[in-house]
Amino acid sequence: MSSEHRKNMNLAIKGMIVPVLREQGFKGSFPHFRRKNEKNIDLVTFQFNRWGGSFVVELAICPLEGVTMHWGEEIPPNKVTAHDVNKRLRLGAVSEEEDGIWFTYENSKTQKDFEQVASDVLGLLNTSDRNWISMLLK
C-alpha cells in the first residue's frame, strides 16, 4: 500500500468529515476528536490499519474530568482520546465485541474514490445527535 493512498485518504477525511465534526462541536486534531456534553465527553478516533488500505472509526465517551489510567496517569479532558478508554465501539458495530466496519481505500484510484469512502463514513456518523455515542455504549 503506497503512502500516497494514505495521504489521499487523509485529505478526503480532512476535507469532508473533519469540517462536519467541527460544525457539530468537536475539537482536537486528526485523528482524535472530542466534544464536551452536559454529562460526558464524546470521543471519535480514526485508527488506520498498520499494513495500510483501511481504517476504523472508534467511538467512546469519558467523564467530563478526563480519565485516570490504571497506573495513575491522568489524561485531561482536552487530551483524552478514544484509545484512552476501555469501553469503546467501532463505527458500524452493534456491540463492543464486534469488529465494526473497516473502511477500505486500497483499491481507490481517484480522489473521487477516496471521497466516496469518506462519504460512507459520514453516512454512518450520527454525531449531530449529542446523545448518539452515549446511547451506543449503554
Side-chain angles (χ1 to χ4, degrees), residues 53-65:
S54 62
F55 65 93
V56 293
V57 181
E58 295 203 317
L59 309 169
I61 58 171
C62 77
L64 290 171
E65 62 272 6

Side-chain angles (χ1 to χ4, degrees), residues 41-55:
I41 300 172
D42 288 337
L43 304 167
V44 176
T45 292
F46 295 82
Q47 178 186 329
F48 284 80
N49 182 328
R50 75 177 75 189
W51 294 283
S54 62
F55 65 93

Side-chain angles (χ1 to χ4, degrees), residues 10-115:
N10 287 351
L11 287 171
I13 292 170
K14 290 176 181 178
M16 295 177 64
I17 300 172
V18 172
V20 172
L21 291 174
R22 296 251 186 265
E23 287 171 11
Q24 295 170 352
F26 282 85
K27 297 181 190 285
S29 56
F30 182 75
H32 305 290
F33 299 93
R34 62 196 65 77
R35 172 178 65 190
K36 282 188 179 183
N37 291 319
E38 283 185 25
K39 298 179 181 176
N40 64 278
I41 300 172
D42 288 337
L43 304 167
V44 176
T45 292
F46 295 82
Q47 178 186 329
F48 284 80
N49 182 328
R50 75 177 75 189
W51 294 283
S54 62
F55 65 93
V56 293
V57 181
E58 295 203 317
L59 309 169
I61 58 171
C62 77
L64 290 171
E65 62 272 6
V67 297
T68 301
M69 306 307 282
H70 72 274
W71 58 88
E73 179 185 359
E74 293 186 16
I75 311 293
N78 65 331
K79 298 289 184 194
V80 68
T81 72
H83 293 162
D84 298 320
V85 179
N86 289 332
K87 186 174 183 172
R88 56 186 186 255
L89 186 77
R90 290 182 169 169
L91 190 61
V94 177
S95 72
E96 292 175 65
E97 292 75 35
E98 289 186 20
D99 203 25
I101 298 172
W102 281 88
F103 296 93
T104 303
Y105 60 91
E106 65 186 348
N107 295 322
S108 297
K109 304 229 184 304
T110 67
Q111 195 57 33
K112 191 170 189 104
D113 295 337
F114 292 99
E115 289 170 357

Side-chain angles (χ1 to χ4, degrees), residues 120-133:
D120 293 345
V121 173
L122 272 176
L124 294 173
L125 279 176
N126 189 21
T127 51
S128 61
D129 177 352
R130 293 183 84 87
N131 295 313
W132 177 67
I133 296 174

